[in-house]
Amino acid sequence: MTAEVLRPIRLPLSTGVVVMVANAFQPERGRAVLPVAEPITVRGFLAERGIDEFPLPTICLFNGEPLLRADWESREIRQGDLCAFVALPHGGGGGGGGGKNPMRTVLMIAVMVAAIYTGGLLAPYIGSAFAEMGVGLTWEMAAGIGTAVVGMAGTALVSALVPAPRPSTPDMNWGGFGSTPAPSPTYSLQSQGNSARLGQPIPVIYGRHLVYPDIATAPFDEFVDNEQYLHQLHLIGQGEYVIEKIRIEDTPLSSFEEVQYEVVPPGGTVTLFEADVVSAPEVAGQELQAPNTLSTGEDGYVGPFAANPVDTEAGHLGIDVIFGRGLYYANNSGGLDSKTIQWQVEYRPIDSDGTATGSWTVLATESVTAATNTVLRKSYKYAVTPGRYEVQAKRLDNKDTDSRAGHEIRWNALRSYLVGTPDFGDVTLLAVKMRATDNLSQRSSRLINCLVTRKIPVWSPTTGWSAPQATRSIAWAFADVCRASYGAKLPDSRIDLAALHALDAVWEARGDRFDAVFDSSLTVWEALTRIARCGRAAPILQGGAIRVVRDEPQTIPVAMFGPRNIVKNSLKIQYIMPSDDTADAVTVSYFSDRTWKPDEVTAKLPDSAAENPAKVSLFGCTAKEHALREGDFIAADNRYRRKMVSFRTELDGMIPTFGDLIAITHDMPRWGHGGEVVDWDTSGNAGTGGSPSWQDVVMTLSEPMEWTEGSTHYIALRRRDGRLAGPFEVEAVTGEDFQVRFLEPMTVTPYTGSDEERTYFSFGPGEKWTQLARVRSIKPRADQVEVSAVAEDSRVHVN
């Protein structure tokens, strides 16, 4: 993972900009970015280009807000404005003839409201894309376009608070940025196997997972007693692991007697074989010509070939020779007589340009005598003074060219054994040495896999960080990404460890775990989002610290807002109405820990037919039960959270934060009654112990109360710090429309003076005394604060 900082693009706009998006699902493809030099209306801009109507249903987003067609005649595109036309996906509707449904456009615009939070996360990427074309976007404009993109893709599924997991892709490659990532050897079934993924990130594994470890250095062969041995050094991943199983495909490695292995923890040294060995690719079975087969002027040398790369020093040089026909002479009696072959190997030092810096020196003179028609293979290793060398070889004896003789030698390989111990960093390695037999094929040698559990530190409020230990915790995987050198490298002071510790207890009790492999490039924020989402949570950056907010039941509002502290005419309510495209179930794709292959489960509400399920992928989930729980939650969230609320207030709006429960009282939607406490008195006894606990309180309010016959009525009071007190059960005072009598102890002292704001109240029957909502965003607006929320519904929290 790469520690990328998400920054808004803030380049000045000298003109207005119009963006034509042809594909809402892939807005970067086929789009047109057109500057607008002089002010012009939206309709005028289209008329200049001969566009009377678009061939596909198209919406207009003006500075991130939907713009109705009726306003195209009057709204001008001026300096700094961004106007985007987004073509909607094809889709029928209306009658059976496949005609267009005019309500679909309206509904899709409404769905964009549910994409605000996710759209903001896309803003850096969209801003960067426009910057590459020379167009500068403010954060707000980029966030607006991001909202539109997610809205288009989200019409089948609405997730108002915690972003829904991304739809699955065929190879379950979870994406990256920059250059095209190599297929994941873990999640792409077609690519499962051991490979050298040059230029790709070192895998980061969390929890328990099956992995096909990458090849850390180039494999090499050696021959001992005419047996071929393959040496492979694998890199399991960053950090330390408990290794449960090592297998070749589905067979334990212990079943192969011809295989030796060694697990090397971080900081350890490979002892099974030399780890830093380089093979020269130019040497590939060239025949060493005998003096009697050379043409005039040929000296018989093969090479020279550079043995080791630039800026490396070889301490040993190795060569392999092969006698492909064996070594023999077939005599007249049908037997085999012995034959001998002699050859010489020479070397000399070279510099980084390949220029010789010394004379040729004989490295070795070798000979082999045998009487066999079986292939002979020999490996030789020679010590040299550390340096960079080139090597050449030639045959010394004449070749028996009789067809009855096997008298041929080929130079099969040139290796250099580099000096020093390679520094692989804080990673775990697996060294494997295999003897070639009928049990092992070339393909099976690249199908080594390990079942591992990552060891990471765990934090406690009493003892601090522990030594690395095996864990599948969502919380400590999240913290590791924040702290690690391959992550954000943040100090503990910028991580809300206390909240993570509390959430860890919740996740452990539920059996929610994070088991995943990050083996493609992505930003730290994307990694944190995926980890948190596996626990039904989302990361937020607040006050320079990273926090995690879980979407879980809340019963006590942290703040109350009513007519006295909501800016007049700023309350907006938007309903996301269901359509033919709305999902009625959720199919969750996950990576099963039983088969270690992709699997899926469909979750639906009890009364749902599950005829139009939305498909999502829950990265990091490996248990069917976990996937089903999240599917049930997403399905309930999609059905019951479709009422979006926004309003403006003063500094009261800074009290809640993302995910907090707030109480909203307002006359327009008849969410209870709100106002101020004018006066209060008690005819009962005052409470003792230093805290008010008056009974039989009669309170005078600024607004007349409406009573519903047969209902129990409640009143809640706002404390000085914005928190809620109550609700308290009350009853009417005979003949007094502005007064209520408390039927239970009042636990707060109302303020009715003039030096500060008087105590606010919220009143209503039963549960209708207020509308509870969950905060989705807090945005400063000059001297005011804009609060966006979604109306809460207890039915969302089905598990």
Side-chain angles (χ1 to χ4, degrees):
M1 289 176 289
T2 306
E4 289 289 312
V5 180
L6 302 182
R7 299 187 178 94
I9 305 299
R10 295 190 181 276
L11 300 179
L13 277 173
S14 59
T15 63
V17 176
V18 174
V19 183
M20 300 287 193
V21 181
N23 186 341
F25 294 103
Q26 294 178 312
E28 74 282 0
R29 298 186 181 180
R31 66 184 169 200
V33 181
L34 307 172
V36 179
E38 299 293 334
I40 188 173
T41 64
V42 174
R43 181 61 71 183
F45 175 88
L46 296 175
E48 282 188 354
R49 284 152 182 79
I51 302 175
D52 180 48
E53 188 49 78
F54 291 94
L56 296 175
T58 301
I59 64 170
C60 175
L61 295 171
F62 199 91
N63 293 334
E65 296 292 333
L67 184 67
L68 296 178
R69 274 173 164 73
D71 298 325
W72 290 8
E73 295 284 354
S74 57
R75 181 63 64 88
E76 286 190 340
I77 306 171
R78 297 179 176 273
Q79 177 178 342
D81 288 335
L82 188 145
C83 180
F85 293 94
V86 184
L88 304 187
H90 285 284
K100 303 298 180 185
N101 184 348
M103 281 300 294
R104 182 157 302 173
T105 299
V106 178
L107 296 179
M108 295 188 77
I109 292 175
V111 169
M112 290 176 197
V113 178
I116 289 176
Y117 176 71
T118 311
L121 294 180
L122 292 181
Y125 305 95
I126 297 171
S128 299
F130 278 79
E132 292 173 2
M133 296 180 286
V135 178
L137 292 180
T138 65
W139 175 266
E140 291 76 11
M141 293 180 181
I145 295 296
T147 299
V149 174
V150 177
M152 295 302 101
T155 53
L157 188 65
V158 172
S159 183
L161 197 61
V162 175
R166 293 184 176 183
S168 60
T169 55
D171 63 355
M172 292 191 77
N173 185 353
W174 306 94
F177 69 97
S179 59
T180 303
S184 166
T186 304
Y187 297 113
S188 176
L189 298 185
Q190 293 81 5
S191 301
Q192 282 187 340
N194 312 118
S195 61
R197 301 189 311 129
L198 299 178
Q200 297 299 315
I202 295 175
V204 176
I205 306 168
Y206 291 112
R208 179 176 180 267
H209 215 287
L210 184 78
V211 294
Y212 287 79
D214 295 341
I215 294 177
T217 61
F220 66 95
D221 296 321
E222 284 183 338
F223 300 105
V224 178
D225 297 330
N226 211 33
E227 296 278 5
Q228 181 181 10
Y229 288 84
L230 173 64
H231 305 75
Q232 290 185 162
L233 184 62
H234 301 271
L235 192 155
I236 294 177
Q238 299 270 11
E240 192 175 356
Y241 301 85
V242 172
I243 299 182
E244 187 175 328
K245 296 178 182 178
I246 303 177
R247 306 183 301 181
I248 295 180
E249 197 56 66
D250 295 325
T251 304
L253 208 60
S254 58
S255 299
F256 298 90
E257 295 181 357
E258 55 272 45
V259 177
Q260 300 172 266
Y261 72 90
E262 175 187 30
V263 177
V264 184
T269 303
V270 180
T271 60
L272 188 61
F273 53 80
E274 294 192 54
D276 210 356
V277 179
V278 178
S279 298
E282 300 88 347
V283 180
Q286 293 93 330
E287 182 179 359
L288 300 183
Q289 297 291 336
N292 63 325
T293 61
L294 296 174
S295 301
T296 303
E298 294 181 336
D299 58 10
Y301 281 103
V302 175
F305 304 113
N308 52 307
V310 175
D311 295 332
T312 63
E313 290 187 335
H316 290 81
L317 297 175
I319 66 168
D320 293 347
V321 293
I322 292 182
F323 307 91
R325 298 178 57 194
L327 199 55
Y328 68 93
Y329 180 82
N331 57 37
N332 294 333
S333 61
L336 299 178
D337 294 336
S338 64
K339 297 291 290 184
T340 298
I341 292 182
Q342 294 180 317
W343 70 95
Q344 181 174 288
V345 183
E346 300 176 0
Y347 75 112
R348 67 178 177 184
I350 58 175
D351 60 18
S352 59
D353 296 325
T355 304
T357 59
S359 58
W360 287 106
T361 302
V362 175
L363 184 62
T365 300
E366 306 283 0
S367 68
V368 172
T369 301
T372 178
N373 57 4
T374 301
V375 176
L376 296 177
R377 296 165 291 188
K378 299 283 186 179
S379 292
Y380 299 88
K381 183 178 179 182
Y382 311 105
V384 295
T385 302
R388 188 179 186 222
Y389 298 99
E390 62 180 359
V391 180
Q392 64 182 13
K394 71 173 181 177
R395 181 170 176 168
L396 300 178
D397 63 318
N398 288 330
K399 179 180 180 179
D400 188 339
T401 58
D402 194 316
S403 61
R404 299 168 68 179
H407 204 215
E408 176 184 290
I409 180 173
R410 291 184 176 273
W411 189 6
N412 189 62
L414 169 62
R415 289 183 300 278
S416 59
Y417 300 79
L418 305 184
V419 298
T421 301
D423 182 11
F424 293 99
D426 185 26
V427 299
T428 297
L429 302 171
L430 173 66
V432 180
K433 182 178 180 181
M434 304 181 183
R435 177 168 57 87
T437 65
D438 293 340
N439 283 343
L440 292 173
S441 64
Q442 183 175 3
R443 169 172 166 73
S444 63
S445 68
R446 296 295 180 93
L447 292 175
I448 296 175
N449 58 75
C450 308
L451 185 56
V452 302
T453 302
R454 176 72 185 280
K455 298 172 71 174
I456 54 177
V458 170
W459 185 83
S460 165
T462 55
T463 60
W465 289 106
S466 70
Q469 62 185 51
T471 178
R472 301 169 65 184
S473 167
I474 298 174
W476 309 129
F478 187 96
D480 187 73
V481 172
C482 294
R483 302 173 71 232
S485 59
Y486 46 77
K489 306 177 186 177
L490 294 177
D492 290 352
S493 59
R494 295 189 59 189
I495 309 169
D496 191 352
L497 295 175
L500 284 175
H501 183 266
L503 283 173
D504 182 57
V506 174
W507 286 322
E508 284 296 321
R510 291 171 52 84
D512 293 349
R513 297 181 172 88
F514 185 74
D515 303 311
V517 181
F518 290 104
D519 51 16
S520 297
S521 297
L522 73 164
T523 63
V524 164
W525 195 256
E526 177 64 17
L528 293 176
T529 300
R530 295 180 184 182
I531 294 172
R533 184 59 195 82
C534 203
R536 200 179 298 176
I540 62 172
L541 188 61
Q542 189 174 53
I546 292 181
R547 299 181 55 236
V548 185
V549 176
R550 184 173 183 271
D551 193 349
E552 57 190 355
Q554 296 184 21
T555 57
I556 302 177
V558 301
M560 185 174 74
F561 299 94
R564 288 298 191 272
N565 60 346
I566 293 179
V567 175
K568 186 177 181 180
N569 298 327
S570 69
L571 181 70
K572 298 178 182 178
I573 306 172
Q574 293 178 301
Y575 295 86
I576 305 176
M577 305 300 293
S579 69
D580 294 340
D581 296 327
T582 300
D584 60 353
V586 177
T587 297
V588 181
S589 177
Y590 66 101
F591 206 73
S592 172
D593 60 2
R594 296 180 64 254
T595 62
W596 297 112
K597 291 179 172 58
D599 204 346
E600 61 181 32
V601 61
T602 298
K604 66 183 185 70
L605 298 179
D607 58 347
S608 172
E611 296 176 348
N612 185 29
K615 294 188 176 182
V616 299
S617 292
L618 190 58
F619 181 72
C621 173
T622 58
K624 179 179 179 180
E625 296 77 11
H626 185 185
L628 187 59
R629 283 197 302 271
E630 292 308 304
D632 288 338
F633 167 77
I634 295 170
D637 189 24
N638 180 51
R639 174 180 291 188
Y640 299 123
R641 279 185 177 158
R642 288 180 166 264
K643 184 163 53 179
M644 306 297 164
V645 186
S646 66
F647 58 88
R648 292 194 181 192
T649 182
E650 296 183 346
L651 291 181
D652 306 54
M654 304 303 290
I655 295 174
T657 186
F658 173 78
D660 280 348
L661 186 69
I662 60 175
I664 305 174
T665 301
H666 207 279
D667 295 337
M668 182 186 72
R670 300 192 66 80
W671 291 342
H673 297 276
E676 299 175 347
V677 177
V678 175
D679 195 9
W680 63 278
D681 59 57
T682 176
S683 58
N685 298 318
T688 59
S691 61
S693 181
W694 294 275
Q695 299 185 24
D696 197 23
V697 172
V698 174
M699 184 173 288
T700 304
L701 308 173
S702 62
E703 311 296 328
M705 298 297 99
E706 295 183 8
W707 300 85
T708 302
E709 187 175 353
S711 297
T712 302
H713 293 73
Y714 296 90
I715 192 170
L717 304 176
R718 192 185 73 156
R719 300 177 186 270
R720 294 185 65 186
D721 60 4
R723 293 182 298 118
L724 212 64
F728 309 102
E729 185 179 350
V730 294
E731 66 178 4
V733 177
T734 304
E736 297 290 343
D737 293 338
F738 289 83
Q739 290 185 339
V740 297
R741 175 178 286 107
F742 280 64
L743 298 181
E744 54 185 306
M746 183 177 67
T747 58
V748 63
T749 303
Y751 180 78
T752 59
S754 58
D755 294 335
E756 58 186 66
E757 289 182 332
R758 291 190 290 190
T759 300
Y760 297 160
F761 74 87
S762 179
F763 167 86
E767 295 182 356
K768 297 181 180 180
W769 61 273
T770 191
Q771 171 65 62
L772 298 178
R774 300 289 290 273
V775 175
R776 299 173 64 235
S777 68
I778 305 289
K779 299 177 182 178
R781 294 284 187 261
D783 57 346
Q784 297 179 349
V785 177
E786 181 179 342
V787 179
S788 297
V790 57
E792 182 63 306
D793 192 310
S794 60
R795 293 173 294 179
V796 169
H797 307 286
V798 292
N799 51 47

